[in-house]
Amino acid sequence: MTIERRPSCTGQAVHAPGHQVWLLAVSYGVTIANLYYCQPLLPDMARSYPSALEVGYLPAVGQLGYALGLVLVVPLGDIVRRRPLVCLLLLVEVVALVVTSTAPTVAVLLAAGAVIGLAGASVVNILIPYAAALAGEHERGRVIATVLSGGLVGILLSRTIAGPTAEAFGWRALFLGAAVVTLLLTGALARTLPSAPAEMAIGYAAQFRATVKLAASEPLLRRRSLIGACTFGAFGVFWATVAFLLSGPSYRYGEAEIGLFALVGVAGAIAAQAVGRAVDRGWQRQLTGILLIVGVASFGVMAIGTQGLVWLVVGLLAMDLAVQGTHLVNMSVVYGLVRMARSRIASVYMTIYTLGGVAGTAAGTTAYRLGGWAAVSAVGAVFMVLGLIVWARDNHGGFHAS
């Protein structure tokens, strides 16, 4: 049985400047929102092209770009200077957003969507190691919680902003506005973030090999990645299907009401702050088990969501706490493994985490088609139980594991 190692804290305490942390959080949220704007707008976008059905592939090509960014670009964060890398990627995203807003054909639209996915995935998964490097070990949980909260708010607000904005000004104007905001953000990052040298002087091929070796040799990283994949899978199960429930006979909500329902999840961002403080006190192991149990229970509550909105809201609040809290604990643990090579960690962890979300989205869609909301709730609970099993097996015997 392998005991998971934890880094020791040496030297004087380091404090991350508050304004830099909040700028990273805003950057994280804006970049995440750029990835999600298209989802509620697909019907409107499809009406702009003769080959309307092909527009439906936009989320898929975005996910493909996201996966390529995680594997091919994120490891660069260890071997080049992070500030210019982030700014360059954001400028690429600005160009892709402008191309999206002016795309004359579906082929151009899909190509731009893939670039947005690649650049966006790379930026958000370099920003977290950036934040972890700025923070002292005693505050890493709180700092990562703040940045992750920005991302969660970005996901939720993108679903509520996209519809009304596109309705008032058109979907092309929305993406053009997103390009302007991203450009302004790039300037703020270039002026504000500290310039630091690359953490290691090796080539890209050596870094890629080292990333693969890290995944194979570090059991804590693999375990935490699997737990994260399970919770994000449960998240995907819910969000891939809840719109069908809300628009169906139980509620008959329109697009505006469904978009507003997403705002309930903002509470998860607030709760993440409390989880971050608990992580900084060294309660990672206990918190993980508690959060996963809450996640299992949340789908039990949501199973009766057809009987009243209050059950759905309570279940959603509990699920968001479980998913976002576990993700935060995972990141606090894995980014504390080493003082260097945090982008390698991000590449491994987020690739596995994202695959869990893809699996959950597919499983949730299939479950709803075959068994309705009851089947969705059962599948979501199964994902959480799988995460709990991974956690319980690694904590069996009472040794102190993170």
Side-chain angles (χ1 to χ4, degrees):
M1 186 179 297
T2 303
I3 298 178
E4 297 169 343
R5 58 185 173 82
R6 299 179 63 181
S8 59
C9 183
T10 60
Q12 295 181 338
V14 177
H15 295 278
H19 69 286
Q20 293 178 4
V21 173
W22 282 105
L23 179 58
L24 289 173
V26 172
S27 304
Y28 196 99
V30 169
T31 307
I32 285 287
N34 290 340
L35 298 174
Y36 282 86
Y37 282 133
C38 71
Q39 291 187 356
L41 301 180
L42 289 175
D44 191 23
M45 298 172 76
R47 287 191 287 269
S48 301
Y49 299 98
S51 52
L53 291 178
E54 295 179 5
V55 176
Y57 291 111
L58 188 56
V61 299
Q63 289 180 344
L64 175 61
Y66 194 100
L68 290 174
L70 288 172
V71 175
L72 301 177
V73 181
V74 171
L76 287 171
D78 292 329
I79 62 176
V80 302
R81 291 187 297 143
R82 286 192 178 121
R83 186 178 69 179
L85 176 61
V86 167
C87 292
L88 175 62
L89 289 167
L90 284 173
L91 289 175
V92 170
E93 187 168 352
V94 168
V95 173
L97 288 166
V98 172
V99 171
T100 298
S101 71
T102 59
T105 65
V106 174
V108 174
L109 182 74
L110 294 178
V115 174
I116 291 172
L118 185 147
S122 303
V123 168
V124 298
N125 290 293
I126 291 171
L127 289 178
I128 292 292
Y130 208 139
L134 287 176
E137 189 162 338
H138 65 289
E139 62 176 1
R140 185 175 297 121
R142 177 184 59 80
V143 169
I144 292 177
T146 300
V147 178
L148 287 180
S149 296
L152 177 59
V153 171
I155 292 173
L156 299 173
L157 290 182
S158 68
R159 292 170 175 160
T160 57
I161 291 173
T165 302
E167 186 175 348
F169 304 104
W171 68 266
R172 294 183 185 274
L174 172 69
F175 283 99
L176 186 60
V180 172
V181 172
T182 305
L183 182 61
L184 293 173
L185 182 65
T186 305
L189 288 168
R191 289 192 305 270
T192 305
L193 291 183
S195 179
E199 292 189 342
M200 52 189 65
I202 62 173
Y204 179 77
Q207 171 73 340
F208 188 82
R209 289 193 298 270
T211 301
V212 175
K213 182 178 179 180
L214 178 67
S217 64
E218 186 51 72
L220 172 55
L221 178 58
R222 292 197 303 273
R223 285 192 287 268
R224 284 288 168 175
S225 298
L226 285 173
I227 292 172
C230 291
T231 58
F232 196 46
F235 188 86
V237 167
F238 177 83
W239 285 110
T241 56
V242 69
F244 296 112
L245 173 66
L246 294 174
S247 62
S250 297
Y251 296 100
R252 301 189 185 280
Y253 284 173
E255 292 181 0
E257 291 89 347
I258 294 173
L260 290 174
F261 178 78
L263 291 177
V264 175
V266 172
I270 299 172
Q273 296 295 320
V275 174
R277 288 191 291 271
V279 167
D280 290 334
R281 295 186 176 95
W283 299 346
Q284 295 95 323
R285 180 166 57 95
Q286 301 91 327
L287 267 175
T288 303
I290 292 170
L291 288 167
L292 289 168
I293 291 171
V294 169
V296 175
S298 72
F299 280 95
V301 174
M302 286 191 288
I304 53 178
T306 55
Q307 307 303 314
L309 185 63
V310 64
W311 298 110
L312 202 59
V313 169
V314 170
L316 172 57
L317 290 172
M319 184 201 69
D320 267 341
L321 172 62
V323 174
Q324 302 303 327
T326 304
H327 186 42
L328 167 60
V329 176
N330 288 342
M331 296 183 104
S332 298
V333 170
V334 298
Y335 285 135
L337 278 173
V338 291
R339 296 187 180 278
M340 311 284 280
R342 288 192 171 106
S343 290
R344 292 178 193 168
I345 292 172
S347 180
V348 173
Y349 175 81
M350 287 304 303
T351 298
I352 297 173
Y353 184 83
T354 301
L355 289 174
V358 172
T361 299
T365 303
T366 302
Y368 191 87
R369 187 177 70 248
L370 297 178
W373 188 248
V376 167
S377 301
V379 171
V382 166
F383 272 92
M384 287 291 185
V385 169
L386 290 175
L388 191 60
I389 290 172
V390 174
W391 173 84
R393 284 174 59 87
D394 291 323
N395 286 276
H396 182 69
F399 62 85
H400 296 290
S402 292

